[in-house]
Amino acid sequence: MDNIIKKMDTLFPSTLTVEDIEKEHKPRPENHTVTRIAPSPTGMMHIGSVYAALISERVAHMANGTFILRIEDTDSKRKVEGATDIIINGLKRYGITSDEGAISATEEVGDYGPYTQSDRYDIYLAYIKKLLQEDLAYPCFCTEDELNDIREQQTKQGLRTGYYGSWAKYKNAPQEVILEHLEKGTPFTVRFKSTGKNFNKRLFDDILKGKRNLPENDADVVILKASGLPTYHFAHIIDDHLMGTTHVIRGDEWLSSLPLHVQLFEAMGWTPPHYGHISPIEIMDDNKRRKLSKRKDPEASVTFYEEKGYPKEAVLEYLMNLANSGFEKFRTENPDESVWNFPFDLQKMGRSGALLDLAKLDSISRDYIGRLSAEELYNSLFEWSETMAPDLYTRMKNDKDYFLNIFKIERENVERVRKDFTNWSTIWHEIDYFFDDSFSPEDGYVAKITEQSPEVIKEFLSDFINHYNEKLSNEDWFSNMKTLAETHGFAPNGKTYKKDPDSYHGTVSDAAKILRVALTGRAQTPDLYSLMQVMGKERVIQRLNKSV
RNA sequence: GUCCCGUUCGUCUAGUGGUUUAGGACAUCGCCCUUUCACGGCGGCAACACGGGUUCAAAUCCCGUACGGGACGCCA
């Protein structure tokens, strides 16, 4: 073996030894909870990553522990330029703060780094060499084609696929064969030498799934790729040991490799962390449920929510809802508390996968926006529009007071705030009629929408214009309007109208509708009085004159 | 194909053997409030996947079946 290691030293030069690493390594304090999120920089931020990060962050911070952001970039093929920043900014955006790890593409904080796997190259190599020395690992010279052949044969015979048992060609290869390959320069991987037996079951206690019996791992998995970089399995063991991770929260697609990971920890002589496997967020596709896919589903990417303009707080609340069944009750009882004050409890996580429910997100989002003051609403929308709706941004910048007044309608000094804003991207469409340059109804629109005769409309509106006094209170204004409506042939109430429908053009509500439509072009709007106050007398008169 | 995980209203879920005519929220429908809409209030529809056991008693414990999801890579 020493020959092999010597040979490897020339291939992958590194003088760092396990002894060096362990001498430098500071153990964490006793009973200090450490969790981490370990995304791959593939260029997009998956909503599932935010979900997993949120849960891990909560587990650590609820226990006054440490939350780490580690960048898992050992797959050079999938690595994308600038992707680390996307991850960092994505988490920051949702208020998920890490205590250690990458803080930008080039900087990191913490005493347990480096926190980017490609910078940990010689650490992995040191441990690989140790395993080789101890005969717990061995080089494998199989080509891709050979491995495919093995898989094919196994499938044909109805066997488990994998590099195990008698299929493990180089497991006990003679030294000469290995050295010969090394001399020739045959590319090779390093595989872990498993002693597990597939027919042995072992009990694992998952934080979320509970006690599970899983078969021992008997496959000699690759731990070092031909590129010299470790596989996920190996990097996970080394990093989480050295970084002192106590709780690994990850997607349940990893559950099958749990026996392998525990086996690796034990082979290194280390205690494995606690594991919690969370179910993925799913989507309904053609009447079938499946995991949200970043390729097929735009909803999988956080950019979807940014573009639609869901407030980040609303997205976070929605995720918290999925993560913890008690959250809804907490929110009902504490409408104004921050989500970060919710007593998150891992035991209250659902075991099965949840379907992404945008209607529920809408509802949470409406509630959230409804709780904002006009000023807060203005600021949030302004910030969003800078990148997502530049025209709106310019408009808001130039006309701040007008926007604030619009947002104050039925928002300030009322018992119940209206909830007609679902997200930032829909707001402009709700309020565009307030602006003269985007108010261009077609000819005869009032008659068309109200189904009143042009004469009635003309007479009622002309009279209204003559008597309009913007100084009046809502009550006085309305009672004047009511009187005016009656003189123009509208019944004061439904009861009167129903008694003799032929004698009236409608009720006072129909008269109000004429005004509403003339001013806004719509049959449904917020409170008429407030709306006219915000528009101002000049604009009101001008619009009414136009439709007379 | 082999192995693993899961399954309570349409959706998210409460439920840990008797407190349950299975509770809440979102969605949906109806009514009320009301100058429209939204808000709010009240109410309706609506679920323990199926089959066997264990037990005086099962959504809850055990065993099968079905269905759904996942893993089986020099991806993570």
Side-chain angles (χ1 to χ4, degrees):
Chain A
M1 264 313 151
D2 284 347
N3 290 334
I4 297 169
I5 290 163
K6 226 172 269 166
K7 189 73 203 168
M8 279 193 58
D9 275 338
T10 60
L11 283 169
F12 303 121
S14 163
T15 50
L16 190 71
T17 66
V18 167
E19 289 70 37
D20 296 335
I21 298 166
E22 282 170 2
K23 206 161 52 196
E24 295 272 310
H25 182 252
K26 297 184 284 286
R28 298 270 186 185
E30 286 275 315
N31 295 323
H32 184 76
T33 300
V34 179
T35 67
R36 84 314 194 262
I37 178 75
S40 298
T42 57
M44 72 98 85
M45 185 81 183
H46 197 287
I47 191 73
S49 303
V50 178
Y51 182 57
L54 172 66
I55 294 163
S56 292
E57 186 275 348
R58 286 291 79 197
V59 169
H61 289 161
M62 290 299 291
N64 292 318
T66 301
F67 176 57
I68 301 173
L69 170 59
R70 182 169 72 222
I71 304 296
E72 307 222 321
D73 61 346
T74 56
D75 185 7
S76 33
K77 278 177 230 123
R78 298 204 307 172
K79 211 165 159 179
V80 171
E81 211 50 47
T84 300
D85 282 321
I86 292 175
I87 293 167
I88 293 166
N89 294 334
L91 292 179
K92 209 184 277 174
R93 195 183 134 72
Y94 290 101
I96 300 170
T97 52
S98 50
D99 310 295
E100 294 179 12
I103 53 168
S104 80
T106 50
E107 299 162 279
E108 45 185 44
V109 290
D111 297 332
Y112 295 81
Y115 296 90
T116 298
Q117 287 184 336
S118 55
D119 295 336
R120 299 173 64 77
Y121 175 85
D122 37 11
I123 297 176
Y124 304 122
L125 219 52
Y127 283 101
I128 291 282
K129 286 176 194 165
K130 184 176 182 233
L131 285 177
L132 285 168
Q133 246 152 7
E134 294 173 355
D135 196 29
L136 290 168
Y138 61 92
C140 166
F141 301 92
C142 281
T143 61
E144 225 173 285
D145 287 344
E146 270 180 283
L147 293 172
N148 287 339
D149 277 349
I150 292 174
R151 210 172 0 253
E152 214 170 287
Q153 285 184 54
Q154 288 168 329
T155 310
K156 221 180 274 171
Q157 296 175 37
L159 298 170
R160 285 184 296 124
T161 53
Y163 199 88
Y164 62 89
S166 55
W167 301 96
K169 186 171 167 188
Y170 290 92
K171 186 171 202 144
N172 295 306
Q175 285 245 15
E176 309 88 72
V177 175
I178 293 174
L179 280 171
E180 196 191 322
H181 272 299
L182 288 174
E183 284 307 324
K184 266 198 297 187
T186 314
F188 69 95
T189 62
V190 176
R191 287 182 183 271
F192 176 68
K193 201 173 209 171
S194 175
T195 52
K197 300 275 175 283
N198 183 255
F199 51 78
N200 281 343
K201 296 272 184 171
R202 193 173 150 180
L203 193 68
F204 295 88
D205 196 0
D206 188 275
I207 307 167
L208 296 168
K209 304 267 181 193
K211 289 188 168 59
R212 292 297 112 138
N213 256 316
L214 303 176
E216 281 181 7
N217 168 64
D218 66 348
D220 292 352
V221 296
V222 172
I223 53 178
L224 190 77
K225 303 186 248 184
S227 63
L229 287 170
T231 57
Y232 169 83
H233 304 300
F234 194 64
H236 155 51
I237 304 307
I238 302 300
D239 294 348
D240 282 315
H241 168 70
L242 293 177
M243 294 178 187
T245 306
T246 56
H247 300 255
V248 172
I249 313 291
R250 65 199 330 186
D252 68 1
E253 69 269 22
W254 291 110
L255 193 58
S256 322
S257 31
L258 181 57
L260 164 66
H261 295 158
V262 171
Q263 183 186 33
L264 286 172
F265 268 103
E266 288 171 351
M268 302 299 299
W270 300 332
T271 312
H274 301 288
Y275 285 92
H277 291 91
I278 57 179
S279 299
I281 299 174
E282 299 172 0
I283 194 165
M284 196 62 97
D285 182 17
D286 202 20
N287 274 325
K288 294 207 167 161
R289 278 170 167 257
R290 60 169 172 76
K291 193 171 146 182
L292 259 187
S293 144
K294 67 173 181 182
R295 286 208 74 109
K296 294 183 197 162
D297 310 309
E299 305 91 321
S301 170
V302 295
T303 53
F304 172 84
Y305 306 90
E306 288 165 30
E307 282 161 17
K308 293 267 179 194
Y310 285 104
K312 53 190 186 298
E313 294 84 353
V315 174
L316 203 60
E317 291 227 355
Y318 176 66
L319 292 178
M320 197 61 106
N321 240 292
L322 292 184
N324 239 210
S325 52
F327 182 72
E328 206 155 56
K329 190 165 179 264
F330 167 83
R331 177 50 77 219
T332 315
E333 289 167 4
N334 310 280
D336 297 316
E337 276 293 353
S338 154
V339 281
W340 303 108
N341 291 335
F342 167 66
F344 181 85
D345 181 1
L346 257 193
Q347 296 313 313
K348 287 187 178 155
M349 277 204 66
R351 269 102 187 100
S352 51
L355 211 52
L356 180 76
D357 185 358
L358 290 180
K360 180 89 177 184
L361 174 60
D362 281 351
S363 163
I364 290 174
S365 187
R366 271 195 299 270
D367 266 335
Y368 173 78
I369 297 177
R371 267 184 270 125
L372 298 178
S373 68
E375 188 86 28
E376 289 166 332
L377 171 53
Y378 176 90
N379 291 337
S380 297
L381 179 61
F382 188 58
E383 190 190 327
W384 175 83
S385 67
E386 182 170 12
T387 47
M388 296 299 172
D391 290 349
L392 178 58
Y393 180 77
T394 313
R395 208 185 268 276
M396 288 182 78
K397 200 174 184 173
N398 296 337
D399 232 349
K400 178 168 179 177
D401 289 339
Y402 194 40
F403 272 93
L404 279 174
N405 287 333
I406 293 167
F407 293 151
K408 279 178 190 163
I409 296 174
E410 288 177 279
R411 177 173 297 271
E412 300 198 336
N413 309 316
V414 287
E415 296 243 330
R416 305 280 176 202
V417 173
R418 51 186 309 116
K419 290 186 196 166
D420 40 10
F421 298 156
T422 303
N423 51 48
W424 311 136
S425 68
T426 56
I427 292 180
W428 171 246
H429 178 67
E430 296 285 338
I431 61 169
D432 57 0
Y433 57 80
F434 279 98
F435 297 84
D436 293 332
D437 60 342
S438 61
F439 178 71
S440 50
E442 52 179 312
D443 287 346
Y445 69 102
V446 183
K448 207 169 281 173
I449 299 173
T450 61
E451 296 177 324
Q452 297 285 352
S453 78
E455 292 72 32
V456 171
I457 292 166
K458 190 177 171 180
E459 280 167 25
F460 174 69
L461 288 183
S462 314
D463 215 4
F464 181 88
I465 293 166
N466 290 334
H467 291 90
Y468 181 54
N469 178 358
E470 63 167 350
K471 301 276 192 297
L472 293 180
S473 71
N474 196 347
E475 291 72 29
D476 290 344
W477 167 80
F478 185 67
S479 86
N480 281 4
M481 203 274 291
K482 209 167 163 182
T483 315
L484 197 68
E486 282 181 63
T487 64
H488 285 271
F490 291 89
N493 52 53
K495 223 176 182 177
T496 317
Y497 175 72
K498 269 183 198 150
K499 257 185 229 161
D500 189 8
D502 294 338
S503 313
Y504 298 102
H505 302 308
T507 66
V508 65
S509 130
D510 293 300
K513 191 175 182 184
I514 296 175
L515 270 177
R516 172 170 286 113
V517 173
L519 289 169
T520 67
R522 305 183 182 196
Q524 288 126 25
T525 71
D527 178 61
L528 243 188
Y529 172 80
S530 317
L531 188 150
M532 289 194 291
Q533 292 287 308
V534 170
M535 283 185 170
K537 184 166 186 173
E538 200 181 323
R539 188 181 271 113
V540 167
I541 300 295
Q542 178 211 328
R543 286 195 183 184
L544 293 181
N545 270 327
K546 233 180 177 173
S547 46
V548 163

